[in-house]
Protein backbone atom coordinates (compact mmCIF):
# COMPACT_ATOMS: atom_id res chain seq x y z
CA UNK A 1 0.00 0.00 0.00
CA UNK A 2 1.51 3.38 -0.96
CA UNK A 3 2.42 5.53 2.03
CA UNK A 4 0.14 8.32 0.78
CA UNK A 5 -2.93 6.12 1.37
CA UNK A 6 -2.02 4.88 4.85
CA UNK A 7 -3.78 6.21 7.87
CA UNK A 8 -1.64 8.23 10.23
CA UNK A 9 -0.68 6.31 13.37
CA UNK A 10 -2.82 8.57 15.58
CA UNK A 11 -5.90 7.90 13.43
CA UNK A 12 -5.33 4.11 13.56
CA UNK A 13 -4.91 4.19 17.32
CA UNK A 14 -8.03 6.31 17.71
CA UNK A 15 -10.08 3.96 15.54
CA UNK A 16 -8.79 0.90 17.40
CA UNK A 17 -9.49 2.42 20.79
CA UNK A 18 -12.98 3.44 19.70
CA UNK A 19 -13.77 -0.02 18.35
CA UNK A 20 -12.47 -1.73 21.49
CA UNK A 21 -14.45 0.62 23.73
CA UNK A 22 -17.68 0.17 21.75
CA UNK A 23 -17.37 -3.61 21.58
CA UNK A 24 -17.01 -3.87 25.34
CA UNK A 25 -19.48 -1.22 26.49
CA UNK A 26 -22.04 -1.03 23.69
CA UNK A 27 -25.64 -1.23 24.84
CA UNK A 28 -27.27 -0.34 21.55
CA UNK A 29 -30.34 -2.48 20.97
CA UNK A 30 -31.76 -5.40 22.89
CA UNK A 31 -29.33 -8.09 23.96
CA UNK A 32 -31.23 -10.76 22.00
CA UNK A 33 -30.70 -8.75 18.80
CA UNK A 34 -26.96 -8.67 19.42
CA UNK A 35 -27.01 -12.43 20.05
CA UNK A 36 -28.76 -13.04 16.71
CA UNK A 37 -26.18 -10.92 14.92
CA UNK A 38 -23.36 -12.75 16.71
CA UNK A 39 -24.80 -16.14 15.71
CA UNK A 40 -25.00 -15.01 12.09
CA UNK A 41 -21.45 -13.68 12.03
CA UNK A 42 -19.96 -16.76 13.70
CA UNK A 43 -21.87 -18.96 11.26
CA UNK A 44 -20.56 -16.97 8.30
CA UNK A 45 -16.98 -17.10 9.58
CA UNK A 46 -16.99 -20.88 9.89
CA UNK A 47 -14.63 -22.78 12.14
CA UNK A 48 -16.05 -21.05 15.21
CA UNK A 49 -17.89 -23.99 16.71
CA UNK A 50 -16.64 -23.38 20.27
CA UNK A 51 -17.77 -19.75 20.14
CA UNK A 52 -21.07 -20.74 18.56
CA UNK A 53 -21.71 -23.12 21.44
CA UNK A 54 -21.21 -20.29 23.94
CA UNK A 55 -23.44 -17.91 21.99
CA UNK A 56 -26.23 -20.44 21.37
CA UNK A 57 -26.37 -20.92 25.14
CA UNK A 58 -26.29 -17.15 25.65
CA UNK A 59 -29.10 -16.69 23.11
CA UNK A 60 -31.25 -19.18 25.01
CA UNK A 61 -30.39 -17.44 28.27
CA UNK A 62 -31.60 -14.06 26.98
CA UNK A 63 -34.92 -15.50 25.81
CA UNK A 64 -34.49 -16.56 22.19
CA UNK A 65 -36.32 -19.76 21.34
CA UNK A 66 -34.74 -22.79 19.73
CA UNK A 67 -36.81 -22.10 16.64
CA UNK A 68 -35.57 -18.51 16.39
CA UNK A 69 -31.96 -19.62 16.78
CA UNK A 70 -32.30 -22.39 14.20
CA UNK A 71 -34.06 -20.05 11.77
CA UNK A 72 -31.24 -17.50 12.07
CA UNK A 73 -28.61 -20.17 11.41
CA UNK A 74 -30.44 -21.60 8.40
CA UNK A 75 -31.06 -18.09 7.06
CA UNK A 76 -27.28 -17.54 7.06
CA UNK A 77 -26.91 -20.34 4.47
CA UNK A 78 -28.04 -17.97 1.74
CA UNK A 79 -25.11 -15.67 2.49
CA UNK A 80 -22.31 -17.91 3.73
CA UNK A 81 -23.07 -21.27 2.17
CA UNK A 82 -24.88 -24.40 3.18
CA UNK A 83 -21.90 -26.23 4.77
CA UNK A 84 -21.21 -23.45 7.28
CA UNK A 85 -24.87 -23.07 8.16
CA UNK A 86 -25.19 -26.83 8.53
CA UNK A 87 -22.18 -26.94 10.87
CA UNK A 88 -23.76 -24.18 12.95
CA UNK A 89 -27.06 -26.06 13.19
CA UNK A 90 -25.15 -29.14 14.38
CA UNK A 91 -23.63 -27.03 17.16
CA UNK A 92 -27.05 -25.67 18.09
CA UNK A 93 -28.52 -29.18 18.17
CA UNK A 94 -25.68 -30.28 20.46
CA UNK A 95 -26.43 -27.38 22.83
CA UNK A 96 -30.17 -28.15 22.77
CA UNK A 97 -29.54 -31.83 23.52
CA UNK A 98 -27.10 -30.96 26.29
CA UNK A 99 -29.67 -28.67 27.91
CA UNK A 100 -32.35 -31.36 27.61
CA UNK A 101 -30.00 -33.89 29.19
CA UNK A 102 -29.06 -31.48 32.00
CA UNK A 103 -32.70 -30.74 32.68
CA UNK A 104 -33.71 -34.41 32.77
CA UNK A 105 -30.65 -35.29 34.89
CA UNK A 106 -31.47 -32.63 37.44
CA UNK A 107 -35.10 -33.69 37.70
CA UNK A 108 -34.01 -37.28 38.47
CA UNK A 109 -31.79 -36.12 41.32
CA UNK A 110 -34.42 -34.01 43.04
Amino acid sequence: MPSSTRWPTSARLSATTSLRSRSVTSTTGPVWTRQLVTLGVLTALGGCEAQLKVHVNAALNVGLTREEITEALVHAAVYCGFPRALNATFVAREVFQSRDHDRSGRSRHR
Side-chain angles (χ1 to χ4, degrees):
M1 174 183 267
S3 62
S4 63
T5 59
R6 290 187 178 188
W7 285 18
T9 302
S10 61
R12 285 189 306 231
L13 289 174
S14 175
T16 303
T17 302
S18 176
L19 180 61
R20 186 177 341 118
S21 173
R22 288 191 59 112
S23 67
V24 172
T25 62
S26 178
T27 57
T28 305
V31 68
W32 59 266
T33 301
R34 293 194 307 266
Q35 280 302 322
L36 280 175
V37 170
T38 301
L39 292 174
V41 169
L42 291 173
T43 299
L45 284 170
C48 300
E49 285 74 16
Q51 293 82 4
L52 266 169
K53 187 181 280 191
V54 169
H55 285 283
V56 169
N57 271 301
L60 290 167
N61 290 341
V62 298
L64 287 170
T65 66
R66 294 173 181 209
E67 292 77 20
E68 291 168 329
I69 292 167
T70 303
E71 186 176 321
L73 300 176
V74 170
H75 179 72
V78 176
Y79 302 98
C80 66
F82 190 74
R84 288 183 177 178
L86 189 60
N87 288 341
T89 59
F90 289 154
V91 170
R93 182 175 62 187
E94 180 183 329
V95 170
F96 300 157
Q97 289 173 343
S98 175
R99 282 185 167 229
D100 289 344
H101 178 69
D102 288 350
R103 193 175 331 140
S104 66
R106 285 191 195 128
S107 63
R108 276 188 256 142
H109 293 102
R110 286 187 182 175

